[in-house]
Each structure stands twice: as structure tokens, then as C-alpha cells.
Amino acid sequence: MKTRHFPSEPNSLVVGSGLTGAAIAMMKPEVVLLDKARKPGGRVSTKVSQVSGARFDIGATMFCDQMEVNWMGKVSSYNLFEIWKTCGVKIDTKPIYDLHHHYPTLGMESIVGSMLVDKTYKQSMTLKSLSQTNENEWSLNFHSHLENQSTEMVTNKVFLTLPIPQIVSIFESSDIEPKLDRWIKFLQPYNEYRKTLVSFLSWKDWKPNFESFGLKPEEPIPVSTILDRGEDWEYQSWESIKYPMDLTKGDGSSLLVQFSSLFSETHFDPWMDAEKKPNSFYQEMLIQGVNEKWSAPPPDEIWNHRWKFAQTQMPLLGREGALQLDKEEFAEWKSLCQETGITILGDWLFGSKLERIVGGVYFLAHNDLL
């Protein structure tokens, strides 16, 4: 087993290079990020259509530039563009839906990439267990998939941004110490996640009459989404309005569908094969669905995905509105972070919206809460 010691700086090691990990690295350039995925991004993920060559976002498809924090009885407002500017992060975006919603021209995943410019991170690293070597030092045991070997890393402080079930599993695989056991008990109320199934469908030579469906692709601020809460086809985003269809010369179209919690839970396991293609049952269901909803012919491409930990059901700081930092639970979270040397962050704390995570990390860092 290889052992690597990082400089004895606080906040030096972050496990997870998704949006939360990237936000921490943006605020604290001294940190080192390690993540089990092959590339940064997590659920802020962008793919490329095999049919059209266009980008499409399979997690978050847009973000709001505004967020608020309620702390010590005072509400503070933040603008994401100002945060990124302050931190030297450049992201080329366009407005969509309304004045306050935007998307990056290079895809949502580019947000994470932009925040990680010149930052130190390493992918394909799975955290297996951790232990405390002394009062102020943690030893983390990783498996490096690229090198196919175990690696031990030692640091003064640990940030964990993984989904809670994965964190609990890691803790239970460690020599359970009182500090880890306290975290397991604290995290229990927030350990319920919503599953979400996703389908991407594209056509080479067909697109709907968008205006007849109330969509406005030609407007300066286009409308390209439909949200029907609780319906099976809960959220639909015409990604071809956002991103050029390079291989179709503007004659094609592409649709991203995020299905409801109930539908996703029911159909989660058989949703796709190893190549993320639907079996005959789901292929027919999707073809029939786009025909009924959009009068569409069979698509030239169907690509499925599933998010096991799409979003937590009960974020500690609230799901909507201002982040509620005056809660007793948040005070307990702060105490646990200080007393254990482990800081656990993520959408279970802030909520799933991009602006709440980036703005929340920014606020915590600027108020010496990280």
C-alpha cells in the first residue's frame, strides 16, 4: 500500500469531485479532491448525442442566478455570477426560461470543469475506509482503479461530499470510532433519496411545432421546458433548443425526459441494458409516449440513464427558499464538523439546486464555517 501525506493544512482533502467538491475547491485552492468517477461533474453531467452531435444535460438542465441565506435572523442575497467572478471562474452562459435562469453554452458539466481549473484532483479513486491515527490526523484508504492498487492518504481534515448511503457504508467498513458513530446517527434523518429515471430521445429530420405547445425557441429568452409535477413524464426539456444540432443542419430535435419519483421507483432496475438502451417494452413505451404527447415519429436515438441518488427528500437547510442556518440541526452539524475533523456536505445539507450548493459553500467559507 502506498502512503501519501498532504501538507498539514486544514480543509486539505475532499472526497467527491461533483458540484459540492468543486465549490469547496473553488473557495479553498489548497484542497486536494479525490473521486471514484472517471471525470468530474457528478449529477451535473453533460453527454453528446450520437445522432445529432448536440450536447444534452442528464441531471440539472439549468440554474438560477439568485439564492438567499437566512442566518442570525437576517436574510442575505447572493448572485452566482458575482460569486464566480470573485473567485476568478469564467462560464459562458445564455438565459433560458426567464431572466434569472441560465445554462452554459458548453453544457452544465462545464460549470464543474470551470471551477476546477488549476485545482488538484484525481479521479477513479474509491474511498474504502478511514481511521484516526492521532487526535488531529485522519488516514484514508482508497482503491485506485487506474493503478489497481490500494493507496493510503493522510490529512488533518476531511471533507466528504458523497451521497449519505455511501458515506455510511464507508464508516461501517472502518473501525467504528465514537466520532464516526455520531455522524451515522446524525445523518440518519437525511438518508432518504429519490430515484430518477432519464430518457434522451433525438430525431434527425423531425421537430415539433414548438409554438403550438406553448414553447418559444426563437425568443431572446427561450422557453424549452414543461414541468408536470407528479405525472409520469414529469419534466421535459427540449435540449435541441439549448444546443445546436450540428449533424442535422437544424432539421432535427432532441428531448430529455426526467420521470417522476413513483415511476422511477417502479421501473428502476429493468430500465436499461449495459449500453443504456431500453429493452423492447420500454422502447415501445417511449415511442408511444412521444407520439401521444408531441405527435412525434419513432426517434432515431433512445438513450436511458438512471440516478440512484437523484436528490435527498428532506435537506437539512430546506428544499426551497433561503437556506435556513438558524436551525438547531445546523448548529449540531457545525459542532460535529469541529469535534470530529470530518465535514460532510452535499445536497442532503443544501438541497439539490445548483445555486443553493455553490452559494451555500461560498457563504460557509466566507463566514469561517468550513
Side-chain angles (χ1 to χ4, degrees):
M1 177 183 291
K2 293 184 177 180
T3 302
R4 180 177 179 185
H5 290 256
F6 287 100
S8 297
E9 299 177 352
N11 312 337
S12 60
L13 190 62
V14 179
V15 181
S17 59
L19 181 63
T20 308
I24 296 171
M26 177 183 71
M27 294 304 306
K28 295 181 171 294
E30 74 274 11
V31 305
V32 175
L33 287 86
L34 301 109
D35 188 57
K36 69 176 185 177
R38 288 176 293 179
K39 61 177 182 177
R43 287 166 300 155
V44 186
S45 182
T46 302
K47 305 295 182 182
V48 176
S49 167
Q50 296 180 358
V51 169
S52 67
R55 297 180 178 91
F56 61 97
D57 300 311
I58 64 173
T61 59
M62 66 177 77
F63 67 91
C64 181
D65 59 13
Q66 305 289 322
M67 63 87 62
E68 294 181 332
V69 175
N70 188 347
W71 191 43
M72 295 194 294
K74 180 182 178 181
V75 176
S76 302
S77 299
Y78 292 87
N79 182 288
L80 257 65
F81 291 111
E82 290 299 322
I83 291 174
W84 284 324
K85 182 178 179 181
T86 299
C87 298
V89 175
K90 297 180 180 179
I91 303 172
D92 184 25
T93 64
K94 290 184 178 181
I96 193 167
Y97 184 69
D98 62 22
L99 285 170
H100 293 295
H101 286 82
H102 310 265
Y103 70 97
T105 58
L106 297 179
M108 292 292 290
E109 192 174 284
S110 67
I111 293 175
V112 171
S114 298
M115 291 195 293
L116 290 179
V117 170
D118 298 326
K119 305 300 188 296
T120 302
Y121 63 91
K122 189 172 182 179
Q123 303 298 134
S124 299
M125 299 284 289
T126 298
L127 178 61
K128 308 298 289 186
S129 63
L130 68 167
S131 60
Q132 197 162 23
T133 57
N134 60 49
E135 184 66 24
N136 299 308
E137 190 175 78
W138 285 96
S139 174
L140 285 75
N141 177 25
F142 289 88
H143 179 75
S144 171
H145 299 281
L146 294 178
E147 300 170 355
N148 194 26
Q149 66 180 13
S150 295
T151 301
E152 182 186 11
M153 299 188 177
V154 180
T155 185
N156 287 46
K157 189 171 182 180
V158 180
F159 287 101
L160 298 178
T161 69
L162 305 169
I164 291 176
Q166 295 179 5
I167 293 174
V168 171
S169 178
I170 292 166
F171 284 177
E172 291 177 343
S173 298
S174 308
D175 293 330
I176 293 294
E177 302 179 26
K179 291 181 178 181
L180 302 183
D181 191 49
R182 288 176 62 197
W183 266 119
I184 290 174
K185 292 177 181 177
F186 178 79
L187 293 171
Q188 186 175 0
Y190 313 104
N191 195 10
E192 184 178 351
Y193 283 74
R194 167 180 171 165
K195 297 177 179 177
T196 298
L197 294 178
V198 176
S199 276
F200 175 77
L201 309 98
S202 67
W203 295 262
K204 294 179 181 178
D205 302 307
W206 176 87
K207 58 184 175 182
N209 182 343
F210 289 115
E211 288 78 5
S212 67
F213 293 99
L215 302 181
K216 303 174 182 178
E218 305 302 328
E219 294 289 321
I221 301 179
V223 177
S224 63
T225 64
I226 291 179
L227 175 62
D228 293 320
R229 293 190 184 278
E231 297 294 323
D232 285 350
W233 293 48
E234 189 169 66
Y235 177 77
Q236 300 175 69
S237 173
W238 284 95
E239 297 291 276
S240 52
I241 294 178
K242 295 164 57 181
Y243 305 115
M245 303 283 284
D246 296 337
L247 303 183
T248 66
K249 299 180 180 179
D251 297 325
S253 60
S254 60
L255 174 68
L256 181 91
V257 183
Q258 296 180 3
F259 293 86
S260 71
S261 177
L262 179 60
F263 181 93
S264 298
E265 188 74 37
T266 303
H267 300 277
F268 193 80
D269 289 332
W271 182 239
M272 61 190 190
D273 62 20
E275 297 180 350
K276 298 202 171 187
K277 304 295 183 183
N279 60 31
S280 57
F281 173 82
Y282 290 112
Q283 180 171 330
E284 184 59 33
M285 184 207 75
L286 292 167
I287 290 173
Q288 182 178 345
V290 291
N291 180 261
E292 291 176 353
K293 295 175 182 299
W294 300 96
S295 300
D300 298 298
E301 175 184 17
I302 300 178
W303 184 91
N304 283 357
H305 187 72
R306 56 190 173 198
W307 295 111
K308 185 175 182 179
F309 305 116
Q311 56 182 270
T312 46
Q313 301 285 34
M314 296 182 61
L316 189 150
L317 300 179
R319 186 186 300 276
E320 304 286 346
L323 297 177
Q324 300 297 325
L325 272 64
D326 285 339
K327 301 174 69 172
E328 292 182 5
E329 294 85 351
F330 181 70
E332 186 176 354
W333 174 84
K334 287 193 297 180
S335 296
L336 270 173
C337 295
Q338 294 167 356
E339 295 168 14
T340 65
I342 298 175
T343 298
I344 301 180
L345 297 156
D347 67 334
W348 72 270
L349 180 70
F350 300 111
S352 60
K353 293 184 181 296
L354 181 149
E355 59 270 14
R356 294 171 70 86
I357 294 173
V358 175
V361 170
Y362 179 86
F363 179 89
L364 295 180
H366 270 271
N367 286 277
D368 296 323
L369 299 175
L370 286 186

PDB file of all heavy atoms in Angstrom, residues 159-171:
ATOM      1  N   PHE A 159     -13.183  16.424   4.007  1.00  0.00           N
ATOM      2  CA  PHE A 159     -14.500  16.784   3.501  1.00  0.00           C
ATOM      3  C   PHE A 159     -15.067  15.587   2.755  1.00  0.00           C
ATOM      4  O   PHE A 159     -14.401  15.034   1.873  1.00  0.00           O
ATOM      5  CB  PHE A 159     -14.429  17.964   2.526  1.00  0.00           C
ATOM      6  CG  PHE A 159     -14.166  19.284   3.161  1.00  0.00           C
ATOM      7  CD1 PHE A 159     -12.900  19.839   3.134  1.00  0.00           C
ATOM      8  CD2 PHE A 159     -15.193  19.990   3.776  1.00  0.00           C
ATOM      9  CE1 PHE A 159     -12.651  21.073   3.701  1.00  0.00           C
ATOM     10  CE2 PHE A 159     -14.956  21.225   4.346  1.00  0.00           C
ATOM     11  CZ  PHE A 159     -13.683  21.766   4.315  1.00  0.00           C
ATOM     12  N   LEU A 160     -16.288  15.183   3.059  1.00  0.00           N
ATOM     13  CA  LEU A 160     -16.959  14.123   2.326  1.00  0.00           C
ATOM     14  C   LEU A 160     -18.192  14.711   1.644  1.00  0.00           C
ATOM     15  O   LEU A 160     -19.049  15.299   2.303  1.00  0.00           O
ATOM     16  CB  LEU A 160     -17.372  12.987   3.263  1.00  0.00           C
ATOM     17  CG  LEU A 160     -16.246  12.250   3.992  1.00  0.00           C
ATOM     18  CD1 LEU A 160     -16.817  11.177   4.920  1.00  0.00           C
ATOM     19  CD2 LEU A 160     -15.259  11.631   3.008  1.00  0.00           C
ATOM     20  N   THR A 161     -18.281  14.549   0.320  1.00  0.00           N
ATOM     21  CA  THR A 161     -19.412  15.096  -0.437  1.00  0.00           C
ATOM     22  C   THR A 161     -20.174  13.998  -1.167  1.00  0.00           C
ATOM     23  O   THR A 161     -20.933  14.289  -2.084  1.00  0.00           O
ATOM     24  CB  THR A 161     -18.927  16.159  -1.440  1.00  0.00           C
ATOM     25  OG1 THR A 161     -18.175  15.524  -2.483  1.00  0.00           O
ATOM     26  CG2 THR A 161     -18.052  17.204  -0.767  1.00  0.00           C
ATOM     27  N   LEU A 162     -19.976  12.754  -0.774  1.00  0.00           N
ATOM     28  CA  LEU A 162     -20.665  11.618  -1.392  1.00  0.00           C
ATOM     29  C   LEU A 162     -22.102  11.531  -0.888  1.00  0.00           C
ATOM     30  O   LEU A 162     -22.450  12.114   0.143  1.00  0.00           O
ATOM     31  CB  LEU A 162     -19.923  10.328  -1.037  1.00  0.00           C
ATOM     32  CG  LEU A 162     -18.434  10.268  -1.376  1.00  0.00           C
ATOM     33  CD1 LEU A 162     -17.796   9.055  -0.718  1.00  0.00           C
ATOM     34  CD2 LEU A 162     -18.230  10.235  -2.876  1.00  0.00           C
ATOM     35  N   PRO A 163     -22.975  10.776  -1.573  1.00  0.00           N
ATOM     36  CA  PRO A 163     -24.311  10.523  -1.027  1.00  0.00           C
ATOM     37  C   PRO A 163     -24.213   9.835   0.331  1.00  0.00           C
ATOM     38  O   PRO A 163     -23.303   9.040   0.583  1.00  0.00           O
ATOM     39  CB  PRO A 163     -24.954   9.600  -2.078  1.00  0.00           C
ATOM     40  CG  PRO A 163     -24.217   9.899  -3.346  1.00  0.00           C
ATOM     41  CD  PRO A 163     -22.808  10.201  -2.924  1.00  0.00           C
ATOM     42  N   ILE A 164     -25.154  10.133   1.217  1.00  0.00           N
ATOM     43  CA  ILE A 164     -25.105   9.622   2.584  1.00  0.00           C
ATOM     44  C   ILE A 164     -25.014   8.098   2.637  1.00  0.00           C
ATOM     45  O   ILE A 164     -24.223   7.561   3.431  1.00  0.00           O
ATOM     46  CB  ILE A 164     -26.311  10.134   3.392  1.00  0.00           C
ATOM     47  CG1 ILE A 164     -26.170  11.644   3.616  1.00  0.00           C
ATOM     48  CG2 ILE A 164     -26.410   9.424   4.741  1.00  0.00           C
ATOM     49  CD1 ILE A 164     -27.360  12.269   4.322  1.00  0.00           C
ATOM     50  N   PRO A 165     -25.789   7.335   1.836  1.00  0.00           N
ATOM     51  CA  PRO A 165     -25.651   5.871   1.927  1.00  0.00           C
ATOM     52  C   PRO A 165     -24.222   5.386   1.680  1.00  0.00           C
ATOM     53  O   PRO A 165     -23.766   4.437   2.324  1.00  0.00           O
ATOM     54  CB  PRO A 165     -26.606   5.352   0.849  1.00  0.00           C
ATOM     55  CG  PRO A 165     -27.629   6.432   0.708  1.00  0.00           C
ATOM     56  CD  PRO A 165     -26.863   7.707   0.898  1.00  0.00           C
ATOM     57  N   GLN A 166     -23.504   6.037   0.774  1.00  0.00           N
ATOM     58  CA  GLN A 166     -22.121   5.650   0.514  1.00  0.00           C
ATOM     59  C   GLN A 166     -21.222   6.021   1.690  1.00  0.00           C
ATOM     60  O   GLN A 166     -20.311   5.258   2.061  1.00  0.00           O
ATOM     61  CB  GLN A 166     -21.625   6.313  -0.777  1.00  0.00           C
ATOM     62  CG  GLN A 166     -22.351   5.839  -2.015  1.00  0.00           C
ATOM     63  CD  GLN A 166     -21.873   6.520  -3.276  1.00  0.00           C
ATOM     64  OE1 GLN A 166     -20.912   7.297  -3.263  1.00  0.00           O
ATOM     65  NE2 GLN A 166     -22.541   6.249  -4.397  1.00  0.00           N
ATOM     66  N   ILE A 167     -21.471   7.180   2.287  1.00  0.00           N
ATOM     67  CA  ILE A 167     -20.678   7.590   3.452  1.00  0.00           C
ATOM     68  C   ILE A 167     -20.893   6.626   4.613  1.00  0.00           C
ATOM     69  O   ILE A 167     -19.937   6.187   5.270  1.00  0.00           O
ATOM     70  CB  ILE A 167     -21.039   9.031   3.863  1.00  0.00           C
ATOM     71  CG1 ILE A 167     -20.590  10.018   2.783  1.00  0.00           C
ATOM     72  CG2 ILE A 167     -20.407   9.396   5.212  1.00  0.00           C
ATOM     73  CD1 ILE A 167     -21.031  11.455   3.029  1.00  0.00           C
ATOM     74  N   VAL A 168     -22.142   6.282   4.879  1.00  0.00           N
ATOM     75  CA  VAL A 168     -22.445   5.360   5.980  1.00  0.00           C
ATOM     76  C   VAL A 168     -21.779   4.006   5.732  1.00  0.00           C
ATOM     77  O   VAL A 168     -21.216   3.391   6.650  1.00  0.00           O
ATOM     78  CB  VAL A 168     -23.967   5.201   6.147  1.00  0.00           C
ATOM     79  CG1 VAL A 168     -24.288   4.076   7.130  1.00  0.00           C
ATOM     80  CG2 VAL A 168     -24.579   6.513   6.632  1.00  0.00           C
ATOM     81  N   SER A 169     -21.802   3.539   4.489  1.00  0.00           N
ATOM     82  CA  SER A 169     -21.166   2.261   4.162  1.00  0.00           C
ATOM     83  C   SER A 169     -19.660   2.321   4.418  1.00  0.00           C
ATOM     84  O   SER A 169     -19.075   1.359   4.933  1.00  0.00           O
ATOM     85  CB  SER A 169     -21.450   1.904   2.701  1.00  0.00           C
ATOM     86  OG  SER A 169     -20.808   0.704   2.339  1.00  0.00           O
ATOM     87  N   ILE A 170     -19.034   3.428   4.063  1.00  0.00           N
ATOM     88  CA  ILE A 170     -17.597   3.596   4.311  1.00  0.00           C
ATOM     89  C   ILE A 170     -17.314   3.603   5.813  1.00  0.00           C
ATOM     90  O   ILE A 170     -16.379   2.955   6.291  1.00  0.00           O
ATOM     91  CB  ILE A 170     -17.089   4.895   3.658  1.00  0.00           C
ATOM     92  CG1 ILE A 170     -17.134   4.766   2.129  1.00  0.00           C
ATOM     93  CG2 ILE A 170     -15.672   5.229   4.123  1.00  0.00           C
ATOM     94  CD1 ILE A 170     -16.979   6.080   1.399  1.00  0.00           C
ATOM     95  N   PHE A 171     -18.125   4.333   6.558  1.00  0.00           N
ATOM     96  CA  PHE A 171     -17.933   4.376   8.008  1.00  0.00           C
ATOM     97  C   PHE A 171     -18.089   2.987   8.618  1.00  0.00           C
ATOM     98  O   PHE A 171     -17.335   2.603   9.515  1.00  0.00           O
ATOM     99  CB  PHE A 171     -18.939   5.337   8.638  1.00  0.00           C
ATOM    100  CG  PHE A 171     -18.609   6.793   8.439  1.00  0.00           C
ATOM    101  CD1 PHE A 171     -19.468   7.775   8.914  1.00  0.00           C
ATOM    102  CD2 PHE A 171     -17.466   7.186   7.793  1.00  0.00           C
ATOM    103  CE1 PHE A 171     -19.175   9.117   8.747  1.00  0.00           C
ATOM    104  CE2 PHE A 171     -17.155   8.532   7.602  1.00  0.00           C
ATOM    105  CZ  PHE A 171     -18.022   9.500   8.085  1.00  0.00           C
TER     106      PHE A 171
END
